[in-house]
């Protein structure tokens, strides 16, 4: 091979595959590239386009159960005497009193107070935590945390280890998920009181040592099964077999996006763009008012953070429920566009057809959006504007009853 051909085509960049990649290939998955990872995008059956496949996958999760390969999530093992204090400093919320075997969702800010990553971190022991990050942010977060430990807080006794590739992650979500994971488990009590939402239990899954987290990115009763990567494919197959009587359906990243958008769950990098604070996401509840300090706290006290006119996360419902807005489209105040430059109120961040609601839904960042509930706005497109109503970003099961089933 000529040297000049060694960095083109399939050799242009490294490719990372999950432990279950072969199963996805054998079962007709269409893949998308996420960073360097090959991720199952959707699983079309004969005669299905992406729309039909995603509709079927989403309905399966809501009605019975779905299974999802989440192995690409960033994972960091955190150990040491000062591990809890370290988390207190890098997340906006409090961590010192988190119980062993409990999970907590956290937002991580840059020094400018803007959201840079999010994830669920679990306390495995007094001085031992398991952190998850976004797929695309894993390397950046690891470097960011090491920089603070090595240059700003060298007195903290904390050791970080990237374990992204060491664990296969299999999410099982839906009303039948408890029955399915229990059928393959040993040593774990799945009773709702013994194993509540945002908890972790350890045992065996199809013979492999397993950490099972009761967390959900779909808004349904759900479990994320973590097993050593070498056991991932076997455990996936065992879960598929146990779930067959319940119609367990594999679903891909497109369906994952639809499900989380129905619940108003954010994706960092999609609902954020480097200029968004927790307040802009209307997530002030996650910012501790009692901690003396954390990365980004000082910047959150700037007057600009509380000014009127900042973009805030809202939902948008089109007047015509069949119209799906384009992501990135600009939100304006008037149906008739004035001569340029046109004042823009914000933009659409996520937009899908919702199988659960039977209509289109969208998330958007809109100036003072939190005070505009029920108002009529417009989304500008070439040659026309699309009327929309500002709504809550939580479109489905707003009380979370299904999550705690």
């Amino acid at each position: 091979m000529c040297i000049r051909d060694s960095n083109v085509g399939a050799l242009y960049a490294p490719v990372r595959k999950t432990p279950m990649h072969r199963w996805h290939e054998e079962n007709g998955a269409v893949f998308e590239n996420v960073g360097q990872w090959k991720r199952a995008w959707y699983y079309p059956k004969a005669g299905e386009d992406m729309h039909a496949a995603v509709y079927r996958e989403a309905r399966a999760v809501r009605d019975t159960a779905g299974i999802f390969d989440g192995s690409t999530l960033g994972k960091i093992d955190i150990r040491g005497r000062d591990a809890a204090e370290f988390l207190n400093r890098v997340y906006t919320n409090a961590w010192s009193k988190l119980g062993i075997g409990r999970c907590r969702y956290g937002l991580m800010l840059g020094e400018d107070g803007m959201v840079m990553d999010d994830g669920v971190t679990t306390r495995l022991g007094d001085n031992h935590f398991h952190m998850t990050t976004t797929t695309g942010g894993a390397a950046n977060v690891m470097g960011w945390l090491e920089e603070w430990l090595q240059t700003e807080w060298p007195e903290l006794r904390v050791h970080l280890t990237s374990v992204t590739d060491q664990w296969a992650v299999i999410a099982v979500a839906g009303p039948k998920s408890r029955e399915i994971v229990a059928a393959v488990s040993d040593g774990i009590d799945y009773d709702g009181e013994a194993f509540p939402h945002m908890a972790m239990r350890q045992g065996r899954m199809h013979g492999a040592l397993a950490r099972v987290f009761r967390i959900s990115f779909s808004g349904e009763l759900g479990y994320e099964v973590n097993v050593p990567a070498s056991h991932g494919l076997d455990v996936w197959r065992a879960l598929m077999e146990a779930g067959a009587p319940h119609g367990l359906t594999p679903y891909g990243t497109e369906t994952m996006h639809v499900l989380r958008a129905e619940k108003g769950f954010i994706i960092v990098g999609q609902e954020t763009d480097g200029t968004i604070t927790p307040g802009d996401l209307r997530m002030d509840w996650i910012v501790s008012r009692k901690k003396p300090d954390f990365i980004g706290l000082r910047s959150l006290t700037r007057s600009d953070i509380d000014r009127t006119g900042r973009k805030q996360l809202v939902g948008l419902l089109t007047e015509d429920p069949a119209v799906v807005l384009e992501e990135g489209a600009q939100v304006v105040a008037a149906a008739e566009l004035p001569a340029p430059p046109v004042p823009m109120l914000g933009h659409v961040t996520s937009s899908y057809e919702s199988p659960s609601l039977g209509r289109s839904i969208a998330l958007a960042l809109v100036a003072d959006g939190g005070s505009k509930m029920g108002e009529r706005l417009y989304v500008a497109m070439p040659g026309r504007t699309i009327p929309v109503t500002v709504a809550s970003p939580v479109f489905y099961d707003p009380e979370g009853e299904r999550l705690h089933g």
Side-chain angles (χ1 to χ4, degrees), residues 15 146 190 204 206-207 243 353 357 359:
V15 173
E146 283 285 12
Y190 285 94
R204 288 191 173 272
H206 193 58
E353 181 177 347
L357 302 174
R359 59 155 302 129

Side-chain angles (χ1 to χ4, degrees), residues 149-171:
L149 277 177
Q150 295 181 30
T151 65
E152 301 297 326
W153 306 321
E155 75 282 2
L156 294 185
R157 296 287 297 274
V158 179
H159 300 279
L160 308 178
T161 305
S162 174
V163 294
T164 298
D165 292 313
Q166 294 182 25
W167 294 96
V169 178
I170 305 168

Side-chain angles (χ1 to χ4, degrees), residues 17-31 40 42-43 45 56-57 67-69 170 232-241 248-252:
K17 299 178 180 179
T18 74
M20 289 77 82
H21 183 86
R22 185 173 67 184
W23 189 95
H24 304 321
E25 285 185 320
E26 293 171 349
N27 287 270
V30 176
F31 293 92
Y42 60 99
Y43 299 83
K45 291 187 174 182
R56 173 180 51 78
E57 293 171 14
I67 186 169
F68 176 76
D69 185 351
I170 305 168
L233 182 56
D234 287 340
V235 173
W236 176 281
R237 286 173 170 159
L239 285 165
M240 285 297 301
E241 182 178 353
L248 181 64
T249 299
Y251 65 99

Side-chain angles (χ1 to χ4, degrees), residues 112-114 273-280 284 296-312 367-368:
D112 57 2
M114 306 303 163
D273 60 3
T275 68
I276 301 301
T277 69
D280 298 334
D284 291 299
L297 173 61
R298 184 176 63 177
S299 293
L300 293 181
T301 65
R302 293 183 295 127
S303 59
D304 182 69
I305 299 300
D306 293 322
R307 66 172 169 81
T308 58
R310 288 192 66 89
K311 295 179 182 179
Q312 297 175 325
D368 296 321

Side-chain angles (χ1 to χ4, degrees), residues 10 47 50 54 96 126 143 160 164-165 168 178 188 228 260-261 272-274 296 301 390 394:
M50 184 174 77
V54 169
S96 297
D126 287 334
L160 308 178
T164 298
D165 292 313
R178 179 183 284 121
I188 299 176
R260 66 89 194 172
T272 68
D273 60 3
T301 65
V390 181
V394 184

Side-chain angles (χ1 to χ4, degrees), residues 246-262:
H246 303 289
L248 181 64
T249 299
Y251 65 99
T253 54
E254 186 67 16
T255 298
M256 176 269 290
H257 279 281
V258 173
L259 296 171
R260 66 89 194 172
E262 290 177 341

Side-chain angles (χ1 to χ4, degrees), residues 75-130:
K75 309 170 199 73
I76 301 173
D77 188 82
I78 303 174
R79 302 180 189 232
R81 179 192 66 199
D82 301 312
E85 171 59 23
F86 176 65
L87 292 173
N88 262 334
R89 298 185 188 186
V90 300
Y91 279 129
T92 62
N93 46 349
W95 292 82
S96 297
K97 295 182 180 179
L98 183 68
I100 295 173
R102 298 310 299 257
C103 316
R104 183 164 291 165
Y105 173 76
L107 279 183
M108 197 176 294
L109 309 183
E111 292 178 279
D112 57 2
M114 306 303 163
V115 175
M116 64 170 285
D117 206 83
D118 70 342
V120 174
T121 294
T122 304
R123 192 167 206 157
L124 304 178
D126 287 334
N127 301 315
H128 187 193
F129 293 82
H130 175 88

